[in-house]
Amino acid sequence: MDANSLNVARENIKRNKYAGHIETICAQGVQHSRIQLNKPFNLICANILADPLIRLASNLRKIQCSGGILLLSGILISQSDPVKAAYVSLGYKLLYHIRYAGWSTLILEAR
């Protein structure tokens, strides 16, 4: 994934005083050893395009605990329905769909 976006995320974590509480890693999918050793997760955030989010859906569900929150962003509003459908089909419940400036953020809860 994008190492520059990882650096921006780390700076935002520090700025918001969450250093030491949130870990970031740059990984292709969910097979990274730190992901596998620390699963299941209460909170997962993914800011990537619709197609990769759809491809990752079943793997993300496997590493998230029931009741956990999934925040998906980087989705064009026009592409949000297929993303939403992919996650709802895996038992996620849509909590919020935020639309801003052509982009969508989906906040879901794992069931």
Side-chain angles (χ1 to χ4, degrees):
M1 295 291 150
D2 184 352
N4 184 51
S5 62
L6 190 63
N7 291 330
V8 171
R10 288 177 177 154
E11 286 302 315
N12 285 327
I13 290 166
K14 286 180 194 173
R15 184 177 303 125
N16 289 291
K17 298 181 173 66
Y18 282 97
H21 300 283
I22 298 174
E23 183 176 0
T24 60
I25 60 169
C26 189
Q28 298 287 331
V30 300
Q31 298 310 315
H32 191 283
S33 61
R34 287 190 357 217
I35 292 172
Q36 292 301 311
L37 288 172
N38 291 293
K39 69 181 181 184
F41 297 96
N42 292 319
L43 175 65
I44 298 174
C45 302
N47 182 24
I48 54 178
L49 298 173
D51 288 340
L53 285 173
I54 292 168
R55 286 194 303 271
L56 280 170
S58 62
N59 285 329
L60 289 179
R61 182 60 190 100
K62 290 174 186 173
I63 64 166
Q64 185 150 47
C65 64
S66 292
I69 299 297
L70 179 64
L71 191 150
L72 304 176
S73 59
I75 309 161
L76 293 170
I77 290 173
S78 63
Q79 298 175 339
S80 62
D81 285 342
V83 176
K84 187 178 0 176
Y87 286 86
V88 168
S89 75
L90 294 170
Y92 281 93
K93 176 184 177 186
L94 180 67
L95 301 177
Y96 302 100
H97 184 173
I98 301 164
R99 298 164 184 88
Y100 180 76
W103 295 96
S104 283
T105 298
L106 303 175
I107 302 173
L108 304 111
E109 180 182 7
R111 298 291 179 129

